[in-house]
Amino acid sequence: GWLNAGRPRREAGRIAFRIALRGRLLDLAEAIARFAAALTEAAARERDTLMPDYTYLRVAQPTTAGHWLLSFAYPALRDGERALADFEATNRSPAGAGGVNGSRYPLDRERLAALLGFAAPIEHTRDAMWQTDGFAEAAWHAALAATGADRFAEDVEIFGSDEFGLLAIGDELCRASALMPQKRNPYALVVLRGGARTLLGRATGVLATQQTPSGRTDNLLYAYGEVAGAVELATKLLNLAAKTAETLTINRERAER
């Protein structure tokens, strides 16, 4: 019965949220790494495949399919760095911080952090209990990673259209039209586009709820569900983007012509 002695009710929620979020951030980092790896492997395979490069959707300079693919891999690597930085920020313990200014009970915050699997306690007790900026960053970084996947999907849809015919994605990522069964609709790309836009709205909402006086619950009340949900959705989208890159084939004759 003494487990919560000297500790406020909200502390358990703050701790549980960080434990849940850090696992999700590692899942996101893994999905981003899969996407970057798939792009890199495809780029290596197509390093000598000639194709035109476009700016403003107008033919610009000659390039290779490998060079074009790597232009999405490098941003993905930066997305991975951001996800790991978010994990490091989340992996710090608010335990023993009290409501705002600690506790008169002799709580060992270093030991509490270690027992809960955190790297270290958050130094300032009031900041430990009420900070939200890191969570808003995680939501935005999730949206940014999904936006990178969306940019890839946008190009793939254009270059895979009948008018271009430069590439195709796996059959398992497409579906036929009910009315026109000869059509091969790249349905995964629709999911990537819509998901990226959904995350942009979520991240904006999380940031908007941070505009409160200090020591208020409304910002965290919404962050709990929205941030975790944003990271989960981004993970699904990055895995889908990775599958798209893994199944991508280039029409080499058409691209060279």
Side-chain angles (χ1 to χ4, degrees):
W2 285 86
L3 184 62
N4 289 320
R7 304 167 74 179
R9 167 188 51 78
R10 70 179 60 87
E11 182 182 299
R14 301 286 197 269
I15 293 169
F17 177 49
R18 285 177 177 269
I19 290 173
L21 182 59
R22 66 188 183 188
R24 286 166 170 80
L25 287 168
L26 289 177
D27 289 341
L28 175 58
E30 184 177 2
I32 293 170
R34 179 188 171 191
F35 179 45
L39 290 167
T40 304
E41 290 171 11
R45 187 173 63 249
E46 306 292 347
R47 61 178 297 168
D48 297 322
T49 302
L50 294 175
M51 67 175 280
D53 207 340
Y54 297 84
T55 59
Y56 303 96
L57 207 54
R58 299 292 187 272
V59 172
Q61 293 179 296
T63 188
T64 67
H67 194 257
W68 166 70
L69 285 162
L70 284 181
S71 72
F72 303 103
Y74 279 96
L77 292 175
R78 294 193 291 272
D79 289 325
E81 291 174 355
R82 283 185 280 265
L84 291 175
D86 292 332
F87 169 79
E88 294 296 333
T90 302
N91 194 31
R92 300 185 74 85
S93 170
V100 283
N101 299 325
S103 172
R104 287 191 291 177
Y105 280 78
L107 301 174
D108 185 340
R109 298 192 64 223
E110 294 278 354
R111 182 167 183 267
L112 283 172
L115 289 171
L116 291 164
F118 289 104
I122 300 169
E123 183 174 0
H124 192 281
T125 54
R126 195 172 197 271
D127 179 51
M129 195 54 61
W130 297 100
Q131 64 171 261
T132 54
D133 55 307
F135 302 139
E137 275 192 318
W140 275 105
H141 292 163
L144 191 59
T147 298
D150 167 70
R151 287 166 66 85
F152 170 67
E154 301 266 4
D155 273 17
V156 169
E157 183 174 50
I158 292 170
F159 294 162
S161 65
D162 292 337
E163 286 73 18
F164 281 78
L166 297 177
L167 51 81
I169 62 174
D171 288 337
E172 65 270 35
L173 301 175
C174 303
R175 72 179 191 184
S177 165
L179 177 65
M180 299 162 283
Q182 79 280 6
K183 284 179 83 247
R184 188 174 179 276
N185 297 327
Y187 201 69
L189 306 180
V190 178
V191 176
L192 287 170
R193 287 205 313 272
R197 286 153 178 75
T198 298
L199 282 173
L200 179 61
R202 282 189 170 184
T204 303
V206 170
L207 188 60
T209 61
Q210 308 317 305
Q211 294 183 330
T212 69
S214 66
R216 299 292 198 278
T217 303
D218 42 342
N219 48 13
L220 282 156
L221 182 66
Y222 288 95
Y224 284 160
E226 290 300 311
V227 175
V231 174
E232 283 184 350
L233 177 56
T235 301
K236 293 177 181 178
L237 294 172
L238 266 294
N239 276 317
L240 182 59
K243 182 66 173 178
T244 302
E246 289 162 359
T247 64
L248 190 73
T249 57
I250 306 292
N251 185 331
R252 295 177 179 177
E253 181 182 352
R254 180 90 175 240
E256 182 175 356
R257 184 168 68 250

